[in-house]
Amino acid sequence: MLMLGMCPTLAVTSRAGNGLGMGLSTTVVLIFSNACISMLRKVIPKGVRIPAYIVIAASFVTVIDLVMQAWFRGLYQALGVYIPLIVVNCIILGRAEAYAKDHAVLLSVFDGIGMGLGFTAGLTLISILREIAGCGTVFGFDFNKRFFDGRYTPVSIFTMAPGAFFVLAFLCAFIRCKKGNSKGTGSFACMNTDCGKCRRCKGKQ
Amino acid sequence: MEHYFSIFIAAMLINNVILSQFLGICPFLGVSKKMSTAVGMSGAVLFVIVMSCMVTYPVWRLLNRFNLNYMRTIIFILLIATLVQLVEIILRKMMPSLYKALGVYLPLITTNCAVLGTTIKAAEGGFSLLESIVYSLGVSCGFFLAIVIMAGIRERLDNNKDIPKAFQGMPITLITAGLMAIAFFGFGG
């Protein structure tokens, strides 16, 4: 799950609030685009289905973009260019191709909810870890002052670009460790199949 | 001249697409296993990013004129998708050798967020046509740089047996990327 849609995963997770916001907006887009695609699944011709999916996703992303601009000004500014980039998130196309295109509307909606919440949970986890390490806060709540009397010196690199890679690397290693995997299972394999899936679906175009 | 040069350097090194903007991570992790595929992919990306910046620039102007800025996501992604298809067809007909080198990677690029991200950033940055071309060149050279360095390191990593089991494969690649990001951080001063 963590390995699909890597770009937003790494880019926006410097604060827990941003991670959560990004996850939820992706979830909303995913639910609606899944519903829409599965409604239209008999209408869309096979040959042009990927462009059609992209257009559907893009329209919902535009809606989200405008909604956030109107109501969540701070979050909108923090996420910046990554909101329009939800369109090219592998998750959206991947689920459309793998699930919504041959399942009923309601099922696809629930698939969207599940996948989206999983994605949100992953994003929030990464961003919480990065915010604790990098600023000593979570959702703006100052852990550092409360429990350590400000003795913990924040490692600011965790809120910057390299920290994202490190946190993800350790999480990934941790998951593999937990799964007690022999070579070829666990999140590494999941990354392979998932990314293969999204690449294959692009390849079919 | 200096102005264009500074745009180029800033886009290539200081704000490297992959290592500090996090655009195009999927191909960065996906195709950086071998040097040859890395070079092919980044060649294709260079081609498409520059082309799509040139195409989206007049369209962005047009949208601005009619106050349709909010349509940019849909319009841009459609333009990019069409462009990639067109480029593929033209290359197949006119330059089979180049098509052979880049062909496999072209369809993957439509959904590469580096392309959409660059065009949106160039549009929002209010660049002139020449500036946005220089900017897109810088971005794609940065992409090329990062992915080729990564491929070089990964080819070596594969021969290393000392990596702990849990870290083999993806995690160690991510850590390498993190260290590279720190190195690129230095360009920011």
Side-chain angles (χ1 to χ4, degrees), chain A residues 6-7 10-11 54-55 58-59 62 65 82 84-85 87-88 90 93 160-162 165-166 169-170 173 176 188 199 202, chain B residues 19 21-23 25-26 29-30 70 72-74 77-78 107-108 111 113 120 166-168 171 174-175 177-178 182 185:
Chain A
M6 293 282 288
C7 308
L10 295 171
I54 292 182
V55 173
S59 0
T62 309
D65 196 51
Y82 297 100
L85 288 180
V87 184
V88 281
C90 303
L93 274 185
M160 292 185 263
F165 286 113
F166 290 141
F170 279 99
R176 293 179 67 188
F188 184 45
R199 212 167 298 130
K202 289 171 212 160
Chain B
L19 296 170
Q21 313 272 329
F22 298 115
L23 300 176
I25 299 272
C26 270
L29 297 174
Y70 63 89
R72 68 169 181 205
T73 315
I74 301 184
I77 192 77
L78 269 182
L108 311 187
T111 42
C113 51
I120 288 179
F167 273 92
Q168 274 165 17
L174 286 169
I175 290 196
I182 291 183
F185 221 58

Side-chain angles (χ1 to χ4, degrees), chain B residues 4-189:
Chain B
Y4 293 118
F5 190 66
S6 73
I7 290 182
F8 181 78
I9 293 293
M12 176 172 154
L13 296 175
I14 300 168
N15 293 319
N16 187 291
V17 248
I18 295 177
L19 296 170
S20 68
Q21 313 272 329
F22 298 115
L23 300 176
I25 299 272
C26 270
F28 177 60
L29 297 174
V31 300
S32 64
K33 264 191 188 135
K34 268 206 209 119
M35 196 57 120
S36 53
T37 53
V39 172
M41 181 70 186
S42 39
V45 165
L46 188 134
F47 204 68
V48 172
I49 286 189
V50 175
M51 291 280 285
S52 56
C53 263
M54 283 196 274
V55 174
T56 49
Y57 176 77
V59 176
W60 173 244
R61 271 294 141 88
L62 208 64
L63 289 182
N64 253 341
R65 168 85 44 86
F66 294 110
N67 261 330
L68 288 170
N69 287 2
Y70 63 89
M71 289 291 283
R72 68 169 181 205
T73 315
I74 301 184
I75 303 275
F76 279 17
I77 192 77
L78 269 182
L79 272 178
I80 293 171
T82 333
L83 186 79
V84 170
Q85 294 273 299
L86 262 182
V87 167
E88 203 185 342
I89 294 170
I90 292 173
L91 275 188
R92 197 171 352 179
K93 273 270 181 298
M94 313 284 276
M95 288 175 274
S97 56
L98 190 62
Y99 177 75
K100 234 179 211 164
L102 305 182
V104 207
Y105 307 103
L106 278 174
L108 311 187
I109 290 178
T110 319
T111 42
N112 181 342
C113 51
V115 180
L116 185 61
T118 311
T119 51
I120 288 179
K121 277 201 170 150
E124 284 186 342
F127 288 155
S128 71
L129 182 58
L130 194 56
E131 277 173 334
S132 55
I133 291 174
V134 172
Y135 176 73
S136 57
L137 263 178
V139 168
S140 34
C141 286
F143 185 87
F144 178 82
L145 196 68
I147 203 167
V148 165
I149 295 178
M150 191 60 171
I153 297 176
R154 269 181 92 169
E155 277 184 353
R156 244 152 253 214
L157 271 181
D158 282 345
N159 300 328
N160 191 339
K161 297 281 178 287
D162 290 339
I163 305 166
K165 209 170 175 199
F167 273 92
Q168 274 165 17
M170 213 57 234
I172 194 72
T173 313
L174 286 169
I175 290 196
T176 318
L179 291 174
M180 278 168 66
I182 291 183
F184 271 77
F185 221 58
F187 288 117

Side-chain angles (χ1 to χ4, degrees), chain A residues 14-15 128-148 150 152-156 158-159:
Chain A
S14 57
R15 291 283 186 285
I128 285 177
L129 288 178
R130 280 180 72 185
E131 201 179 337
I132 290 178
C135 315
T137 57
V138 174
F139 291 111
F141 170 77
D142 204 334
F143 256 77
N144 195 359
K145 279 231 180 71
R146 193 72 187 273
F147 299 122
F148 302 104
Y152 169 72
T153 317
V155 190
S156 57
F158 275 100
T159 60

